[in-house]
Amino acid sequence: MGGAPPDHPADTAELAIETQGLTKRFGRQTAVDHIDLAVPRGSVFGFLGPNGSGKTTTIRVMLGLAAATGGEVRVLGREMPRHGRDVLPRVGALVEGPAFYPFLSGAANLRRLDTADPAARSATRDARVAEALERVGLGHAAHKKVRAYSLGMKQRLGIAGALLRPRELLVLDEPTNGLDPQGTREVRTLVRSLAAGGTTVFVSSHLLAEVEQICTHAAVMSVGSLVAHGSLAELRRGRARVRVVTPDVADARAELARLGLVPEPDGDDVTAPLPAGSPAPETIAAGLVRGGVRLRGFGVEEASLEDRFVALTGEGFDVAQ
């Protein structure tokens, strides 16, 4: 499922982010290699890959923080960086971790950030700051100096800074980095609430468990290339298998073969991949019973994202904090 997205929308108005042949080189090193990315509006999109795979470089080019070597980028329907002045006020971003003045409070830091926005009204600044802090669970720490914040609190403060005004697109680079389980749950809930309100959320991460819980779509980077792209269901597709628990191992293998499946040779249970066009699970179970196979257990196992990504990239991913 590499290369162009399998279900690439024809109307670019349906896309929050679109790249075509996007390439970024640093001297002779190619960090991002001709990637075609399509992020549907309203989705929670997971941008996945091991460290050094090109995720952050891609984000920086998308936001106009670095110049592309080749290809095109459109954000919210407008070409970047040409239309950055119009696009960026509609985009919130947290890239490569938050940076704040440690001797100021969380609220004071956000006020300074809000002041830098020429479109922000000073009369409503305090209300915006208070609302942003509440949304990320830092209302109680609004007046605490940032040097006393934990790493997780600083991460949430960075997200609050991205939410000082309504955003059509929110780009988060490793948003749960350093968070404890409670902080991770809070960020997860926040992302879901933003998506429910119509904001497209683009999440760069290497934590598969988080992506499986909050994302609707994902893309996988490996060594600068896009190796998979689509909905989570599409990314898992083709890796399902049937598992049969029975004392009649030889008969079960023979019956599965008769049904057109290819039993795997190893394991205490009898397993076989379920490629596209395989009989329905209930048909397989009925066929086993008709063939005299005694069933102690029967089920269909979907591939995990970890299985799929390791198969695509040849590298492991973290699955927990």
Side-chain angles (χ1 to χ4, degrees):
M1 201 176 296
D7 296 317
H8 199 298
D11 185 357
T12 58
E14 299 176 9
L15 301 177
I17 301 170
E18 180 184 26
T19 72
Q20 295 180 340
L22 180 62
T23 302
K24 177 63 177 177
R25 298 188 185 93
F26 298 96
R28 296 183 178 180
Q29 179 185 1
T30 301
V32 179
D33 191 8
H34 294 88
I35 69 169
D36 297 334
L37 190 65
V39 178
R41 286 184 184 259
S43 66
V44 180
F45 195 98
F47 195 45
L48 299 165
N51 290 334
S53 60
K55 302 190 305 296
T56 298
T57 299
T58 300
I59 290 174
R60 290 179 61 82
V61 172
M62 287 190 320
L63 296 176
L65 300 175
T69 305
E72 298 179 356
V73 181
R74 298 179 72 87
V75 176
L76 299 177
R78 306 296 298 277
E79 186 179 343
M80 290 288 289
R82 179 183 300 176
H83 298 288
R85 181 172 296 181
D86 297 327
V87 171
L88 292 180
R90 300 152 61 195
V91 178
L94 178 62
V95 182
E96 296 183 329
F100 294 105
Y101 293 102
F103 54 87
L104 294 179
S105 69
N109 268 282
L110 292 192
R111 280 195 292 270
R112 288 179 66 92
L113 186 61
D114 192 70
T115 301
D117 183 350
R121 294 179 57 205
S122 59
T124 55
R125 179 161 296 133
D126 287 346
R128 282 194 301 277
V129 167
E131 181 181 359
L133 287 169
E134 287 295 336
R135 292 192 76 178
V136 299
L138 288 177
H140 67 286
H143 302 294
K144 181 184 292 188
K145 291 183 178 180
V146 168
R147 67 186 176 195
Y149 278 25
S150 67
L151 177 60
M153 292 171 71
K154 291 176 182 176
Q155 193 77 355
R156 279 185 280 159
L157 185 62
I159 296 174
L163 297 174
L164 283 170
R165 60 186 296 175
R167 310 290 185 178
E168 295 177 45
L169 170 65
L170 186 62
V171 178
L172 303 176
D173 190 10
E174 301 287 356
T176 58
N177 182 40
L179 297 187
D180 60 16
Q182 177 61 30
T184 298
R185 284 192 292 271
E186 290 172 356
V187 171
R188 186 188 306 149
T189 300
L190 173 62
V191 168
R192 287 173 178 155
S193 68
L194 290 167
T199 300
T200 304
V201 184
F202 184 92
V203 182
S204 171
S205 181
H206 63 281
L207 299 174
L208 300 184
E210 289 306 304
V211 169
E212 288 198 274
Q213 291 190 58
I214 66 172
C215 291
T216 59
H217 298 71
V220 186
M221 291 285 288
S222 178
V223 198
S225 296
L226 195 65
V227 295
H229 187 298
S231 67
L232 292 195
E234 289 172 331
L235 292 177
R236 294 189 186 102
R237 191 172 298 160
R239 301 282 293 180
R241 67 185 65 244
V242 64
R243 181 176 296 275
V244 181
V245 182
T246 176
D248 307 318
V249 172
D251 291 341
R253 292 182 185 277
E255 189 62 29
L256 289 175
R258 190 188 68 78
L259 291 167
L261 304 181
V262 181
E264 296 172 330
D266 301 323
D268 296 332
D269 299 334
V270 180
T271 60
L274 287 176
S278 298
E282 56 270 25
T283 302
I284 297 171
L288 289 167
V289 172
R290 283 196 304 270
V293 177
R294 292 169 291 173
L295 296 182
R296 291 176 178 168
F298 177 88
V300 175
E301 300 174 349
E302 294 287 343
S304 68
L305 285 182
E306 182 183 11
D307 293 336
R308 181 62 169 148
F309 294 165
V310 170
L312 286 166
T313 68
E315 300 186 52
F317 283 69
D318 292 334
V319 294
Q321 290 287 137

